[in-house]
Amino acid sequence: MGPFLFCLVIDSLSPVCSNTHVVKYADDVSFLHFVRDLSDDNLQKEWDCLLSWAQTVKLPLNLDKCCVMDFVTKRDMQLPPIRLTENSSNCLAQVQSMCFLGVTFSNDFKWNLHFQNLIKKASKRLFLIRNLRRARCPPHLLFRCYSSFIRSLLLYAYPAFCNAPEYLHNKLFRFENRAFRIMNLDSKLHPSLESSMTSLCDNLFMQIAKSPDHPLRSMFQMKASNRTRSTSSLVKPFTRTKRYKNSFIKYCK
């Protein structure tokens, strides 16, 4: 009953500004506040309302876990810090990276830290594969355990960071080659990590193309009627910068 009752309580939490989106998952809440210029910055107001809501429903916040991370594309924009309370000089901690739903985001829009954490977690799980091999586990069971406990970790939320640079992807491929050497298996006889990545992105894009109500549908544009070569009804939107272009699923048609 605990999680169910908590969901009923947290359902009443909503943003007060039109440029704020609230993401709720289990007992974690994140505010996405979009600011084009300083006149749109109402994050302090959102924080004050969050504190007021927490006091009303009697759910105290853990301030040690509350933080702010700014994604700034304009170098001359300096966003003010968020005060903990109206009369307090203490401010919320400003961080350069944070883990959001299992994916590590950095304020410089780079994926280096996420790949670093990914390989670190996966490396710890190789101990299981070593012990299974010492126990003379059959090869097909070794690969199944690797796919379940390690490869699944490497593929988690992959479409979110599929456009990371090639040298970061190569780190994952080298890690898998090392895992296959530990299992004493021929990587050519099993589905590769790269093929699994491609399949994930293809499946996600097909879901977006087939479902008009998909949350990511708004990221794409409808195909013009005179374009008949592609089998999909969606195309990438026109982008002026390479960073914006690479933010979309790279396997979309």
Side-chain angles (χ1 to χ4, degrees):
M1 289 296 293
F4 176 75
L5 294 176
F6 177 80
C7 290
L8 292 179
V9 173
I10 204 173
D11 185 63
S12 61
L13 177 61
S14 59
V16 295
C17 302
S18 59
N19 58 332
T20 303
H21 181 68
V22 179
V23 179
K24 307 173 187 176
Y25 183 80
D27 62 342
D28 183 75
V29 177
S30 300
F31 283 76
L32 308 180
H33 192 64
F34 302 93
V35 178
R36 290 188 177 274
D37 52 61
L38 293 180
S39 61
D40 297 333
D41 185 15
N42 295 308
L43 191 57
Q44 181 67 56
K45 182 179 179 180
E46 291 284 4
W47 170 254
D48 295 338
C49 292
L50 175 61
L51 288 180
S52 177
W53 173 87
Q55 294 175 358
T56 301
V57 299
K58 298 181 180 180
L59 286 177
L61 300 177
N62 187 348
L63 298 180
D64 293 335
K65 294 185 177 181
C66 297
C67 61
V68 177
M69 185 170 67
D70 296 332
F71 294 92
V72 181
T73 56
K74 297 180 180 179
R75 296 182 179 180
D76 58 343
M77 181 179 289
Q78 297 292 333
L79 298 175
I82 306 301
R83 299 189 305 275
L84 292 179
T85 58
E86 183 177 359
N87 299 322
S88 174
S89 58
N90 297 327
C91 300
L92 280 177
Q94 288 275 353
V95 297
Q96 297 181 350
S97 63
M98 65 180 297
C99 185
F100 180 64
L101 300 181
V103 180
T104 304
F105 291 88
S106 301
N107 63 350
D108 56 1
F109 300 97
K110 296 182 179 180
W111 292 109
N112 299 63
L113 186 58
H114 176 69
F115 276 75
Q116 177 182 339
N117 294 338
L118 203 59
I119 295 177
K120 183 177 180 180
K121 293 178 182 178
S123 298
K124 293 180 179 179
R125 300 188 181 186
L126 279 179
F127 180 73
L128 171 64
I129 302 299
R130 295 178 186 274
N131 286 342
L132 290 175
R133 186 188 173 187
R134 293 192 187 101
R136 298 183 180 181
C137 184
H140 70 281
L141 289 182
L142 278 177
F143 181 75
R144 181 173 297 182
C145 291
Y146 169 77
S147 300
S148 301
F149 295 104
I150 300 179
R151 180 178 279 189
S152 60
L153 178 65
L154 302 178
L155 294 175
Y156 173 76
Y158 175 73
F161 56 91
C162 65
N163 287 297
E166 183 178 357
Y167 74 92
L168 290 178
H169 280 86
N170 290 335
K171 290 184 177 181
L172 297 184
F173 300 149
R174 286 195 296 268
F175 172 84
E176 177 157 284
N177 291 335
R178 180 160 64 96
F180 271 95
R181 288 196 299 270
I182 293 175
M183 295 184 290
N184 196 22
L185 298 178
D186 187 358
S187 59
K188 297 180 181 180
L189 301 179
H190 299 82
S192 65
L193 178 62
E194 186 175 6
S195 64
S196 300
M197 292 174 172
T198 302
S199 178
L200 279 177
C201 292
D202 280 338
N203 292 338
L204 176 59
F205 180 73
M206 293 306 298
Q207 293 176 14
I208 299 173
K210 292 179 180 180
S211 176
D213 300 328
H214 197 283
L216 300 179
R217 185 66 175 259
S218 60
M219 297 176 59
F220 299 88
Q221 293 179 349
M222 296 298 296
K223 184 180 64 175
S225 57
N226 58 350
R227 297 183 59 180
T228 58
R229 292 186 177 180
S230 176
T231 58
S232 173
S233 60
L234 301 180
V235 294
K236 288 183 181 179
F238 174 76
T239 55
R240 295 183 181 275
T241 63
K242 184 177 181 181
R243 185 184 296 274
Y244 184 34
K245 178 180 179 181
N246 291 339
S247 64
F248 293 92
I249 304 172
K250 65 180 179 180
Y251 298 102
C252 70
K253 310 301 181 183

